[in-house]
Amino acid sequence: MKKYIYPKTNEWEKLTERPTQSFKEIEETTKLIFKDIQTNGDNAVAKYTSVFDGVVIEDIRVSQTEFLEANQQISAELKVAIATAKANITKFHMIQKRSKIEVETTMGVNCWMEKRPIEKVGLYIPGGTAPLFSTVLMLAIPAQIAGCKEIVLCSPPDKNGKINPAILFTAQLCGVTQILKVGGIQAIAGLTFGTNTIPKVSKIFGPGNQFVTVAKQVATQYGVAIDMPAGPSELLVFADESANPRFVASDLLSQAEHGTDSQVIFATTSKSFLKLVENELKSQLTVLTRKEIAEKAIENSKMILFKSAEEALDFINLYAPEHFIICSKKEEYFVENISNAGSVFIGDYTPESAGDYASGTNHTLPTNGYAKNYSGVSLDSFLKSITFQKISKEGILNLGKTIEIMAEAEGLQAHKNAVSIRLKALQNEY
Amino acid sequence: MKKYIYPKTNEWEKLTERPTQSFKEIEETTKLIFKDIQTNGDNAVAKYTSVFDGVVIEDIRVSQTEFLEANQQISAELKVAIATAKANITKFHMIQKRSKIEVETTMGVNCWMEKRPIEKVGLYIPGGTAPLFSTVLMLAIPAQIAGCKEIVLCSPPDKNGKINPAILFTAQLCGVTQILKVGGIQAIAGLTFGTNTIPKVSKIFGPGNQFVTVAKQVATQYGVAIDMPAGPSELLVFADESANPRFVASDLLSQAEHGTDSQVIFATTSKSFLKLVENELKSQLTVLTRKEIAEKAIENSKMILFKSAEEALDFINLYAPEHFIICSKKEEYFVENISNAGSVFIGDYTPESAGDYASGTNHTLPTNGYAKNYSGVSLDSFLKSITFQKISKEGILNLGKTIEIMAEAEGLQAHKNAVSIRLKALQNEY
C-alpha cells in the first residue's frame, strides 16, 4: 500500500481520486447493439448471446426441470444460510415501509403523499466465477416488498446454456416472476425495448462489467431508470490503536479480493497502529485463494495517517466511501458526523462481509464518490412518490386569491383563470 | 383538439406518445462549452453570457443594493401571497421528515438507516418572460428543510444584467445561500466543475429550455446528480358528466398556455360531456392573453372517449401523466388505482394551479411518461440514505456461520476470512 503521512489538505483532492474509467470506445458498439435489438428483437439477442457468451440457446426461459435441478444442487447448509439472510434483509427492508403522509395546509386544502410500486423492474445478475446470488437477495427482496408486479431477472448463461443453480434457487425463493438466460449489453437492451421473450421494464438494477455499465447508461437515454451509476467497489477503514490490527487487515483484504481495480483506503491517527496493520496485511495476503487479485488491489491502495479524528473525518467526507468501517474509541464522533458514505460498519465485530451477505442492510451502494449525492438501493428504489390534493369549496375560497396573485405575477393568465372561474361560481352560489 | 372515440387498446401506445425531442445537434456544442468552462472557468462563463444573453457583467454576484431594490419592487400583495405559499409548501415538506429507522435483525445485529443532506445543491431558475419565482419556492424550501449547507441559485441576467426581483426576493426569503447571474449551458457547466465564482455542487435541480436540459444530461457524465429528466409539461383530465365543463376547460387551457409543445389530454366516458368541454374550450380560448400559444397546444391535444372508468384508468396508467385531474363521481376508484402519475388533483375545486403555486405539494414533477419510474421533487430529493450496522460479539457468533457459508459459495474467501478471524478470536476468549 502507498503510505501518506500527514498529507496537507491541498493534497486531499488528489487522494480521493479514483482511477478514471472511460468507456468511450465501447459506447458506440453498445449503441449499435441497442439499435439492432430494438429492430430485430429476439433474433438479435440470440446472435449476441452466441457471439459474447459462446452458446446457442433455443429458449432463454429457464425450464421447470432446471429449477428442480437447481433446487437439488444446492446444499441444505447453503439453503439455511440463504433463508437466514433473507429473513434479515426482509426485516430491514420491511421497516422502511411508510404509510401515507397527510396534512391540511390551509383550511379545506388537503395534501398527501403515497408511495406506489414501479410496476416492472429488471434485475441484472452477473455470471462468471463468482455467482452473485447475494445480489439476487438484495434486489428481489425489496422489489417484492414494494409490490412490483413484474420482477424480471437476467443473467448470462454459461457454456452449457445454464444459469448458476444458487442464482436460480434464490430467485425462486424471493419472488422473481421471470428468469431469462441472457447477459451483457443484449440483456439490458432487451429489458429497455422489450422483445417477444424479454419484457420491457421501467427500471434496471444490478451490477455488471464495463459493458453492462455502459449499456445501463445508454438505457437511460431511452426512458429507462437505473439504480445508480456504477464503479469499482470501495472500502475505507478508519481504525486507531484501540482496534484489532488482524481484524482491520482482514477487512481491507476482503475488499481487495473483489477485483484488481478495488479501492481500499486505511485511515488512522496512530503511526504505530498503521505499522501493525501493514504487517498483518502481508501475512494474511499469502494464504488467500484470490491472492493475485488482492495483491494488485492492495498495491494501488492507500494508508493515510491523519493528525486527528476531526481531520480524518473531513477527508472521509470528501472521499465519500461506498463502505466505511469505524474501529475507534471515537466511534460516536464518526457516526454522528459522517455525511457522505454508502454504508457504515461500526466496531470490531462488524466486518463489511456482514452487510454484503446477511445482516439485513442492502449491499447495492454508491461508489466512486457518488455517496455525496446518491443513496444505496433501498425499498424506496422500487417505489415512486405520488402527491395528491383535494380542495373543498372553502379551501379554494381561502387559497384562491394567493394563487391568482402569483399566477398573475408570473404572467400566466390561464393559470389564474382556472381559479377565478371557480371563485366566481362560488360567489354566485353564496 | 383531436378526438378519439373508443380507441382500441392496440392503438393506445400510439396515443401515449409524446413528440420526440432529439437534441443531438446541440449535444456537441454543449460538450464543447463544458470543456471550455472546465479549463477556463469564469472567463469562459463571461464569454458565453455575453454571447447568449447579450450582456457583459463585471460581477455575477448579486449586490446588496440589488436585493434591496428587489425588495422594494415587489408589491405588498405579492409578498403576502409568496409568504402564504411558503407556509403551505413548508408544512407539506416538513411532514416528509423521517427519523432514523432501526431494527435488530438477529440478536446482537443492529441495523439502522438515516437520511443526511446533500451538502451542496444548485437550483436553476429560467429567466425570460415568465419569471418562475414559484420554482424558487419549490426547490429552496425543501433544500433548506433538508439542511443542505450550500444552496446556490443560478438564473440568467436580462439585457440590463439584472435578475427578476421576484426571484431575488423569494430566494432570499427561502434561505438560498448564493445567487448568481448566470444562465443556460454556462450555468450548468459552472455548477458542475466549479469556478472561482460559481461553487461546484453535487446535485442540480430545476427546469429550463432545451439547452439547459441537454446541459443537465451532460453534467451527469461528470458525476453530478440531477432532479429528473425533463420534458414539456403535461396534464391529463378525467372528467365525467358529474363535473363542471367550464372548470375542466379552464384547467386544460392553464396547461396549454405553458408552451406550444404542452401536452394536454382530456379523457371521459361521456360523449355529451365531451361536447360540452369542447365548446367551453373554444369560448374560453378567445379571451386568453397567451392565446396563440394555447391555441397551438390545444390543436395538438387529444380528447379521448372511453367505454368505462376501468378502461380509462388503464390508459391513464399507460400514459403516466405529470398532472392528473379527476372530476368524477368515481373519484375514489381512480385515487385508489392510479399507479403512474406525478401529482393528482381531486374534485371540482382543485385546479392544477393550486399545486403549481400554493397548496403545498411540489410542482417539479416527472413528465414524458417518467411518472412510471421517477418521483417528483420532494424532501428526499435533497437527502440521501446512509445505512449503519453495529454487531456485538454475540451478534457475530449468531450470524457468522451464515456469512461464512455464503461467502464460500460465492468463491470469496477473504470475505469469509474476515468473519472466521473474528470467530476464532472469540473462541479463544470464551
Side-chain angles (χ1 to χ4, degrees), chain A residues 195-404:
Chain A
T195 69
N196 285 336
T197 318
I198 308 172
K200 176 179 163 65
V201 301
S202 297
K203 191 167 183 179
I204 300 174
F205 297 79
N209 58 20
Q210 55 183 353
F211 298 102
V212 173
T213 299
V214 172
K216 282 171 70 185
Q217 284 165 6
V218 171
T220 64
Q221 295 168 20
Y222 292 95
V224 176
I226 61 169
D227 46 1
M228 70 190 76
S233 193
E234 312 163 344
L235 169 67
L236 186 148
V237 178
F238 178 86
D240 57 27
E241 63 286 357
S242 70
N244 182 324
R246 298 189 61 210
F247 295 176
V248 170
S250 75
D251 289 330
L252 295 171
L253 288 173
S254 78
Q255 186 59 39
E257 78 171 338
H258 268 304
T260 52
D261 56 357
S262 275
Q263 298 295 302
V264 184
I265 293 191
F266 170 51
T268 185
T269 44
S270 163
K271 203 164 190 173
S272 56
F273 188 75
L274 186 145
K275 192 72 207 157
L276 291 175
V277 171
E278 204 178 6
N279 292 338
E280 266 301 325
L281 270 177
K282 277 179 201 150
S283 82
Q284 289 185 31
L285 193 55
T286 54
V287 295
L288 287 184
T289 44
R290 292 167 74 102
K291 187 185 158 193
E292 273 74 49
I293 293 173
E295 211 159 26
K296 199 114 191 201
I298 286 293
E299 262 171 39
N300 293 320
S301 297
K302 301 174 182 120
M303 298 185 131
I304 313 177
L305 183 65
F306 290 100
K307 286 188 179 144
S308 65
E310 290 71 20
E311 206 191 53
L313 179 82
D314 285 347
F315 175 82
I316 295 163
N317 276 328
L318 189 69
Y319 181 78
E322 180 192 13
H323 303 98
F324 173 33
I325 295 182
I326 308 167
C327 297
S328 163
K329 52 187 189 290
K330 294 191 173 172
E331 69 174 44
E332 276 179 39
Y333 169 75
F334 283 98
V335 169
E336 268 168 39
N337 295 292
I338 182 73
S339 298
N340 304 321
S343 195
V344 183
F345 300 77
I346 306 157
D348 287 337
Y349 295 92
T350 316
E352 190 208 304
S353 309
D356 287 341
Y357 289 109
S359 60
T361 59
N362 207 293
H363 79 197
T364 311
L365 296 165
T367 58
N368 203 23
Y370 281 115
K372 285 179 184 165
N373 43 11
Y374 287 86
S375 306
V377 165
S378 70
L379 184 62
D380 275 353
S381 310
F382 297 87
L383 300 164
K384 70 259 185 219
S385 304
I386 306 180
T387 53
F388 296 83
Q389 59 201 288
K390 186 169 184 176
I391 303 180
S392 66
K393 291 178 183 176
E394 184 197 11
I396 199 73
L397 286 170
N398 287 332
L399 195 60
K401 190 78 190 157
T402 296
I403 304 167
E404 286 181 318

Side-chain angles (χ1 to χ4, degrees), chain B residues 406-422:
Chain B
M406 291 176 76
E408 176 92 45
E410 284 195 354
L412 295 173
Q413 192 215 353
H415 280 64
K416 179 184 177 184
N417 192 48
V419 174
S420 308
I421 209 166
R422 285 166 165 96

Side-chain angles (χ1 to χ4, degrees), chain A residues 105 289 331 359 389-390, chain B residues 91 331 348 359 389-390 413:
Chain A
T105 54
T289 44
E331 69 174 44
S359 60
Q389 59 201 288
K390 186 169 184 176
Chain B
K91 276 180 209 163
E331 70 175 43
D348 286 338
S359 61
Q389 59 202 288
K390 186 169 184 177
Q413 192 215 353

Side-chain angles (χ1 to χ4, degrees), chain A residues 77-78 81 84-85 88 91-92 95-98 101-103 105-106 109 111-113 115-116 118-119 130-134 137 202 223-225 246-247 250-251 253-254 257-258 284 287-290 331 335-336 338-346 348-351 353-359 361 370-375 380 384-393 396 399 402-403 405-407 409-415 417-418 421-422 425-426, chain B residues 77-78 81 84-85 88 91-92 95-98 101-103 105-106 109 111-113 115-116 118-119 130-134 137 202 223 225 246-247 250-251 253-254 257-258 284 287-290 331 335-336 338-346 348-351 353-359 361 370-375 380 384-393 396 399 402-403 405-407 409-415 417-419 421-422 425-426:
Chain A
E77 189 184 58
L78 183 54
T84 304
N88 285 348
K91 275 181 208 161
F92 189 67
I95 59 160
Q96 294 171 31
K97 273 199 174 183
R98 197 169 188 193
I101 54 158
E102 189 164 15
V103 64
T105 54
T106 291
V109 179
C111 300
W112 67 98
M113 185 158 93
K115 303 218 164 175
R116 302 207 171 167
I118 297 174
E119 292 181 326
L132 298 182
F133 61 87
S134 60
L137 291 166
S202 297
V224 176
R246 298 189 61 210
F247 295 176
S250 75
D251 289 330
L253 288 173
S254 78
E257 78 171 338
H258 268 304
Q284 289 185 31
V287 295
L288 287 184
T289 44
R290 292 167 74 102
E331 69 174 44
V335 169
E336 268 168 39
I338 182 73
S339 298
N340 304 321
S343 195
V344 183
F345 300 77
I346 306 157
D348 287 337
Y349 295 92
T350 316
S353 309
D356 287 341
Y357 289 109
S359 60
T361 59
Y370 281 115
K372 285 179 184 165
N373 43 11
Y374 287 86
S375 306
D380 275 353
K384 70 259 185 219
S385 304
I386 306 180
T387 53
F388 296 83
Q389 59 201 288
K390 186 169 184 176
I391 303 180
S392 66
K393 291 178 183 176
I396 199 73
L399 195 60
T402 296
I403 304 167
I405 293 166
M406 291 176 75
E410 284 195 356
L412 294 173
Q413 192 215 352
H415 280 64
N417 192 49
I421 208 166
R422 286 167 164 96
L426 288 173
Chain B
E77 190 184 58
L78 182 55
T84 305
N88 285 348
K91 276 180 209 163
F92 188 67
I95 60 159
Q96 294 171 31
K97 273 198 176 186
R98 197 170 189 190
I101 55 158
E102 188 165 16
V103 63
T105 54
T106 290
V109 179
C111 300
W112 67 98
M113 185 157 93
K115 301 217 165 178
R116 302 210 171 166
I118 296 173
E119 292 181 327
L132 299 181
F133 61 86
S134 60
L137 291 165
S202 297
R246 298 189 61 214
F247 296 176
S250 76
D251 289 330
L253 287 173
S254 77
E257 78 171 339
H258 269 302
Q284 290 186 29
V287 296
L288 285 185
T289 45
R290 292 167 73 103
E331 70 175 43
V335 170
E336 268 168 40
I338 181 73
S339 299
N340 304 321
S343 195
V344 183
F345 300 77
I346 305 156
D348 286 338
Y349 294 93
T350 316
S353 308
D356 286 342
Y357 289 110
S359 61
T361 59
Y370 281 116
K372 285 180 185 165
N373 43 12
Y374 286 86
S375 306
D380 275 353
K384 69 261 186 225
S385 305
I386 307 180
T387 52
F388 296 84
Q389 59 202 288
K390 186 169 184 177
I391 303 180
S392 66
K393 289 179 183 176
I396 199 71
L399 196 60
T402 296
I403 305 167
I405 292 167
M406 291 176 76
E410 284 195 354
L412 295 173
Q413 192 215 353
H415 280 64
N417 192 48
V419 174
I421 209 166
R422 285 166 165 96
L426 288 174

